[in-house]
Each structure stands twice: as structure tokens, then as C-alpha cells.
């Protein structure tokens, strides 16, 4: 296997891991004002992701850094052409991170309500814009012969891309609702299961439509399998949630996200950013770094990726137990985590 192909697969793996892990983070954030009927319940909701949310965001940083190092032309064109959408994502993530840290610094209802809104919007905006961005990568954008973006923001807000944004929002809502049902007890768990049932219907409609259009316009024979697997994962998650099997429902939503992202990357390969103008398209060949750079990066990835995965797996194992309102102390602790 050529190193350019290997690094395309590695980058696809990094983005898939990011969407799988940060997906339920975003879902929990979007559901915060819905599931948390009072401050104690909202603290329960936040504490389900308190120990892990910032670790999940590391995958975004690593995926961006790997793209920059392995395919600098792809990175440069993507981050210049998608400047405004990516800036919106970064600002939303910054506001969201600050909200998690500062929400519990004052015992004031209005203070916490403002930060709760920041968590909601800081989760919704990236969930939507990531779907728009990746749909545009598969569809292609206007690129001139020098690989420069020759379009405008309006070119990115096409119907296919907007459907991609709705798909990621509904998928992450379902993923987050199932995660909350898996991690909480009592009334929050019951309400999370009910919302997961509704979100499953929305995810099946939007996700099924998006994957079908993707397959018909940009797909390949192999992507019929991944797209069908993603649809099956959604259906299995809905069925498991209806039976109260939250663990299997989470497996189903996770499989749906993984296979949906795999469908996009397989549909894209060997391109990394097609051009709708017929010239200037980027591929794994003309966007890649030198062979020596890719070789060094391969050794680094082989050593450090397993370490990161083991450490993050250990973190999830340590914080695997359910939590409920009985676990929230009356007096706010001064510890940084879990976030109160």
C-alpha cells in the first residue's frame, strides 16, 4: 500500500473517531436544556461528559494536524475555502469549553442559565457545520487550476450540504440521548430514552435520505455496503432503545456514525477535495507531502496512537458508572472536574 493511501486511511480513522466520541458530546450539550428540568438535573447531564469532553476534542486537533502534515495542499485549500464555517466551529468550541469550566464558578441561577445557552449553541453549531463541510468535500467545491478556492459562502450552502448538516445534528442528538440513557438513572434516563425514540425517527429520515443521495451521485459499489450498514445501525439502535437496551442502542448509533463517515471517505477516495470547475481538484497524489515526511509520520503514528487509545479507553472505564441526582452534592465542590 502506498503511503499516501495509508495516510488517507489514517486521517479517515481520526475523523471517524472524533465524530464517534464528540458526537455524543454534542448531543448531550444540545439536550441540556431539554432534559435538565432544574439545576441539579442539568448538573447530572453535564457530569456525564465532564471527565471526557476535552479528551474527545483532542481527536479534532490530531486530525487537523495530521491533515496539515500529510496533505498540506488539502489542508491549505480546505481551511482557506472553508474559512468562515471553520471559524464558526472554532468559536463555538471555545465558547463551549469556557462554559463547561465557568458554569459552576458562581452560585447564581442567571449566571448558570447564560452558560447553559452557550453549551447548547456551542454544541449545535459545530454539529451542523461539520455536516455541511464534509458534504461539500464529497460534492466538490469551485477550485481554480492553482487549487485555490474560487467560490463564495453561498456555494457551500447548497441543498446537499444543508441536508448533510441536518443529518449530523440528528445523528448526534440520537447518539447523545442514548449515551445519557446509558449513563444516568431515574427520571433523566427515562426522558432520555423517550427523546432517543423521537431522534431516531429524525435520524433515519435525514440520514437515510443523505446517504441515498450520496450513494446515487457520488458512491461506489463498496459504499452500498457501508451505507446499508449505517442504516441498519440506526434501525438497530431504535429497536434496542425501545426495549430499554441502552448499551446495544449506543453500539447501534456508534456503528451508524462510523459507517456513515466511512461512506463519505470511500466515496471521496482517491480525491481529497474535488473541483466542480473540472480543474484544480486535489487527490491523494497531488496534495501529499514528500515520501520522507510520510514515512516519519507513519513511525510516529504507530508509536503514539495506541498509547492515546489505551489512555482514553482507561478514562472511560474509570468513569463508566451511572450517575443520578443523588450523586450531586448540595454544596458545589471546588474541584475542576466533574463540572458542576
Amino acid at each position: 500500500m502506498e503511503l499516501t493511501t495509508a495516510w488517507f486511511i489514517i486521517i479517515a480513522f481520526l475523523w471517524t473517531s472524533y465524530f464517534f466520541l464528540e458526537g455524543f458530546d454534542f448531543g448531550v450539550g444540545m439536550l441540556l436544556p431539554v432534559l435538565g428540568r432544574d439545576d441539579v438535573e442539568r448538573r447530572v447531564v453535564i457530569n456525564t461528559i465532564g471527565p471526557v469532553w476535552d479528551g474527545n476534542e483532542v481527536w479534532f486537533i490530531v486530525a487537523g494536524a495530521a491533515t496539515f502534515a500529510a496533505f498540506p495542499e488539502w489542508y491549505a485549500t480546505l481551511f482557506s475555502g472553508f474559512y468562515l464555517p471553520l471559524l464558526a466551529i472554532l468559536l463555538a468550541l471555545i465558547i463551549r469549553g469556557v462554559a463547561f469550566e465557568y458554569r459552576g464558578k458562581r452560585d447564581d441561577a442567571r449566571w448558570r442559565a447564560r452558560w447553559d445557552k452557550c453549551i447548547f449553541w456551542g454544541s449545535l453549531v459545530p454539529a451542523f457545520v461539520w455536516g455541511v463541510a464534509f458534504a461539500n468535500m464529497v460534492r466538490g467545491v469551485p477550485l481554480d487550476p492553482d487549487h485555490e478556492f474560487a467560490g463564495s459562502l453561498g456555494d457551500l450552502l447548497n441543498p446537499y450540504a444543508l441536508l448533510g448538516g441536518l443529518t449530523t445534528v440528528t445523528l448526534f442528538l440520537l447518539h447523545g440521548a442514548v449515551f445519557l440513557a446509558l449513563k444516568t438513572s431515574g427520571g433523566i434516563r427515562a426522558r432520555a430514552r423517550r427523546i432517543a425514540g423521537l431522534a431516531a425517527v429524525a435520524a433515519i429520515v435525514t440520514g437515510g435520505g443523505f446517504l441515498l443521495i450520496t450513494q446515487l451521485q457520488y458512491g461506489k459499489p463498496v459504499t452500498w455496503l457501508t451505507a446499508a450498514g449505517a442504516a441498519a445501525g440506526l434501525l438497530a439502535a431504535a429497536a434496542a432503545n425501545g426495549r430499554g437496551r441502552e448499551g446495544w442502542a449506543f453500539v447501534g448509533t456508534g456503528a451508524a456514525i462510523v459507517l456513515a463517515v466511512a461512506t463519505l471517505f470511500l466515496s471521496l477516495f482517491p480525491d481529497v477535495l474535488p473541483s466542480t470547475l473540472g480543474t484544480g481538484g486535489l487527490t491523494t497524489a497531488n496534495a501529499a507531502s514528500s515520501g520522507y515526511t510520510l514515512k516519519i509520520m507513519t513511525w510516529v503514528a504507530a508509536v503514539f496512537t495506541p498509547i492515546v487509545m489505551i489512555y482514553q479507553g482507561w478514562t472511560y472505564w474509570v468513569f463508566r458508572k451511572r450517575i443520578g441526582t443523588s450523586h450531586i452534592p448540595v454544596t458545589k465542590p471546588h474541584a475542576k472536574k466533574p463540572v458542576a
Side-chain angles (χ1 to χ4, degrees):
M1 180 186 296
E2 296 182 356
L3 285 178
T4 53
T5 302
W7 270 97
F8 182 87
I9 295 173
I10 292 172
I11 289 172
F13 167 76
L14 293 173
W15 282 111
T16 302
S17 300
Y18 172 66
F19 287 134
F20 174 82
L21 295 171
E22 192 82 308
F24 67 77
D25 263 5
F26 290 149
V28 170
M30 288 185 282
L31 290 171
L32 176 62
V34 179
L35 286 178
R37 293 183 173 177
D38 55 34
D39 185 64
V40 173
E41 290 192 345
R42 286 190 287 273
R43 288 168 66 184
V44 170
V45 171
I46 293 173
N47 271 273
T48 60
I49 58 173
V52 297
W53 69 266
D54 45 0
N56 294 343
E57 288 189 354
V58 170
W59 290 92
F60 167 43
I61 299 171
V62 175
T67 305
F68 169 76
F71 299 100
E73 285 280 357
W74 184 15
Y75 179 92
T77 304
L78 183 66
F79 277 73
S80 60
F82 291 42
Y83 178 79
L84 289 177
L86 292 176
L87 178 63
I89 290 175
L90 290 175
L91 290 175
L93 291 178
I94 290 171
I95 293 171
R96 181 174 177 264
V98 171
F100 281 132
E101 298 296 336
Y102 278 82
R103 182 188 185 276
K105 298 300 183 182
R106 287 174 56 182
D107 188 14
D108 181 272
R110 288 183 296 178
W111 169 272
R112 293 183 173 182
R114 294 190 188 103
W115 289 119
D116 288 345
K117 292 179 181 177
C118 290
I119 293 172
F120 171 78
W121 289 107
S123 301
L124 176 61
V125 170
F128 178 74
V129 178
W130 277 128
V132 172
F134 271 78
N136 275 301
M137 279 201 296
V138 174
R139 176 181 179 268
V141 295
L143 299 178
D144 64 21
D146 295 323
H147 310 308
E148 297 289 339
F149 183 73
S152 63
L153 180 62
D155 294 312
L156 303 179
L157 302 178
N158 54 81
Y160 174 72
L162 294 176
L163 179 59
L166 290 176
T167 297
T168 48
V169 167
T170 54
L171 270 177
F172 293 165
L173 270 174
L174 173 59
H175 201 37
V178 170
F179 177 79
L180 283 169
L182 182 65
K183 284 287 293 178
T184 59
S185 58
I188 300 176
R189 178 187 179 188
R191 293 196 298 275
R193 283 183 55 196
R194 287 197 296 270
I195 291 176
L198 298 174
V201 176
I204 290 170
V205 172
T206 58
F210 177 73
L211 289 174
L212 181 60
I213 294 172
T214 301
Q215 183 61 35
L216 293 176
Q217 294 189 0
Y218 314 106
K220 300 170 183 176
V222 67
T223 54
W224 280 111
L225 297 176
T226 54
L234 285 176
L235 294 172
N241 179 72
R243 297 194 300 268
R245 304 293 297 274
E246 292 100 342
W248 285 110
F250 188 74
V251 170
T253 57
I257 291 173
V258 168
L259 291 172
V261 177
T263 300
L264 297 182
F265 274 99
L266 288 171
S267 299
L268 187 60
F269 183 81
D271 294 324
V272 293
L273 191 60
S275 174
T276 57
L277 301 180
T279 59
L282 292 171
T283 67
T284 54
N286 64 15
S289 294
S290 66
Y292 179 76
T293 299
L294 295 178
K295 188 178 295 184
I296 296 298
M297 289 176 59
T298 302
W299 282 108
V300 172
V303 172
F304 288 101
T305 302
I307 295 174
V308 172
M309 294 178 66
I310 291 171
Y311 172 77
Q312 193 157 27
W314 174 80
T315 302
Y316 277 93
W317 176 256
V318 170
F319 295 101
R320 67 188 183 277
K321 294 183 179 180
R322 294 181 183 270
I323 63 172
T325 54
S326 61
H327 298 97
I328 301 298
V330 176
T331 303
K332 179 180 69 67
H334 295 290
K336 179 182 178 181
K337 294 214 173 120
V339 179

